[in-house]
Structure formats: C-alpha cells, structure tokens
Amino acid sequence: MADQKISQRELIMEYFEQHPHRDIAHPEIVDWVTVEYEQRTGEKFRDPDRQIRTLAQQGKLIKVAKGIYRYEPEHLIERELEDFTPQQKEEIFKRDGYRCVMCGLGRAEGVEIHADHIKPKDLGGKAEVSNGQTLCAAHNFRKKNYRQTETGKKMFIRLYETAKQLGDTETAEFCSQILEVFECNGVNGHIEWKK
Ligand SMILES: [Zn+2]
C-alpha cells in the first residue's frame, strides 16, 4: 500500500479539507472516496467506514453524531499543539528514568508507561516537557478517571484557607490531612495546594 500515490486516509482527508466546517454523513463521503479511489488507483476501497473512524480517533475529524463527521482545521492545529511529540515523550520518560512517578514501576518491570499532561490538555495544559510526567498504565487510567474528585479537592483547599484565616487550627489540620491523602496518592496533582 505504501507505494500507492495516495493512501485511503489521505483521500478521505482531502474530501473533508475541501469541505471544512460542515457536518458530513457517511454515505456522502463513502460514495465519493470509493469512486475517486478506484479512478486514481484502479483499486477498490474496501472499508472506508473503518478509516473514517480511525481518523476521528486520531483527532483529525470530529465525530458530531453517529455516522456524521466534521473537519475543523483549527481543532486539528490546537490538538497538535497540545499533544506531546514522540521526541518530547522520550525526553519526559528519560528524565523520569522510564518509571511511573507515582509508584516507581516502569519498563524495567515490564510495565507500560505513558506521558501524562500534569495540567490536563482541556484545562489549557501545554505540550511542554515541564508539563509532562511519566505514569504507568494504572496510574494514568486512575488520573483520567478521577477527574470528578477535583471539586472535592478544591473544596477542601477553600475550607483549609478559610480555617487558617479564622485561626481554626483544628479544621485546618483536618483539611490538610485530607489534602495530603490526595497528594500522596497522586490524585489531582495538577490542582496546587500549599500547606
Ligand atoms: Zn504507577
């Protein structure tokens, strides 16, 4: 496939790039690419649906609804800026010794590692090595799935600050113990709390 002039995915993207900012349903794009692909390469386009889904998973297309996709050039640029490049990932891994910063397990133990955005992308976290940390698959999964606890952490930070202002050391100590549990379990580490 590599020696073909145009890949199937490139052809799909060509159509979307010609029609940006518009919701495009499966049949429209499938009809066009199957005809176009056969004309250009003399071959059949076997499974366009799967290729479209892959492009959406890669963030190149936005899935609007079932079977409807959209191309937003700005979305693509933003996404690229926010994602770590393979070089940045390697730099992050190397700095962290190829180990999860939470549990210390890593490649040496055969554990899969990920480059995580300390401040998440959707909160404006940049793709800079300084905003990256190495997490094992388990801790990465946990971090992503414990976002709803952010409100809790913020609430205890506010309570802590208030208690300190009021000189209520008992409540401040109570909050600081809870917040330390957040910290030492690496939950919501991007929300800064200073004792
Ligand atoms: Zn870990």
Side-chain angles (χ1 to χ4, degrees):
M1 248 192 251
D3 56 333
Q4 275 167 12
K5 282 192 187 102
I6 188 155
S7 81
Q8 299 184 344
R9 280 179 207 167
E10 279 167 1
L11 190 62
I12 294 169
M13 283 313 292
E14 188 180 308
Y15 189 77
F16 276 98
E17 278 160 14
Q18 283 167 9
H19 305 91
H21 315 293
R22 184 159 78 76
D23 294 348
I24 299 175
H26 257 207
E28 177 182 339
I29 176 76
V30 168
D31 288 352
W32 185 82
V33 293
T34 44
V35 171
E36 196 71 20
Y37 191 72
E38 197 164 359
Q39 277 177 2
R40 293 197 201 180
T41 66
E43 287 174 32
K44 287 238 183 298
F45 198 145
R46 292 285 170 207
D47 194 357
D49 287 12
R50 191 167 61 93
Q51 305 285 8
I52 295 167
R53 280 199 303 274
T54 304
L55 286 164
Q57 279 159 8
Q58 291 173 342
K60 295 189 172 112
L61 295 176
I62 299 165
K63 186 175 176 179
V64 179
K66 199 168 188 289
I68 300 169
Y69 295 86
R70 175 196 272 267
Y71 172 67
E72 295 283 359
E74 297 78 15
H75 170 83
L76 183 64
I77 291 159
E78 256 171 50
R79 208 189 140 86
E80 282 173 348
L81 285 174
E82 288 162 4
D83 280 337
F84 293 125
T85 63
Q87 290 86 340
Q88 284 177 313
K89 282 186 189 175
E90 185 53 33
E91 220 177 303
I92 292 163
F93 292 157
K94 197 174 168 189
R95 184 200 60 206
D96 296 339
Y98 300 89
R99 294 177 175 282
C100 172
V101 297
M102 296 315 309
C103 65
L105 295 177
R107 286 200 181 148
E109 290 79 22
V111 169
E112 192 187 316
I113 52 172
H114 299 267
D116 169 64
H117 288 67
I118 296 171
K119 185 178 185 185
K121 286 188 278 188
D122 53 345
L123 296 178
K126 294 272 172 290
E128 289 159 5
V129 174
S130 61
N131 188 41
Q133 64 181 355
T134 306
L135 290 182
C136 69
H139 276 112
N140 192 37
F141 179 81
R142 190 158 85 173
K143 185 179 169 190
K144 287 194 169 46
N145 286 279
Y146 279 65
R147 285 287 294 279
Q148 65 267 42
T149 61
E150 285 176 352
T151 319
K153 186 172 181 184
K154 284 176 188 162
M155 188 193 79
F156 282 113
I157 292 172
R158 274 199 304 272
L159 190 56
Y160 175 78
E161 297 298 338
T162 309
K164 249 186 14 179
Q165 275 171 18
L166 296 173
D168 179 354
T169 47
E170 206 179 321
T171 307
E173 182 53 28
F174 166 73
C175 293
S176 96
Q177 282 181 22
I178 290 170
L179 289 163
E180 270 158 21
V181 173
F182 274 89
E183 305 275 290
C184 66
N185 287 281
V187 176
N188 300 331
H190 61 286
I191 301 172
E192 229 178 296
W193 170 66
K194 283 197 183 78
K195 194 170 181 172

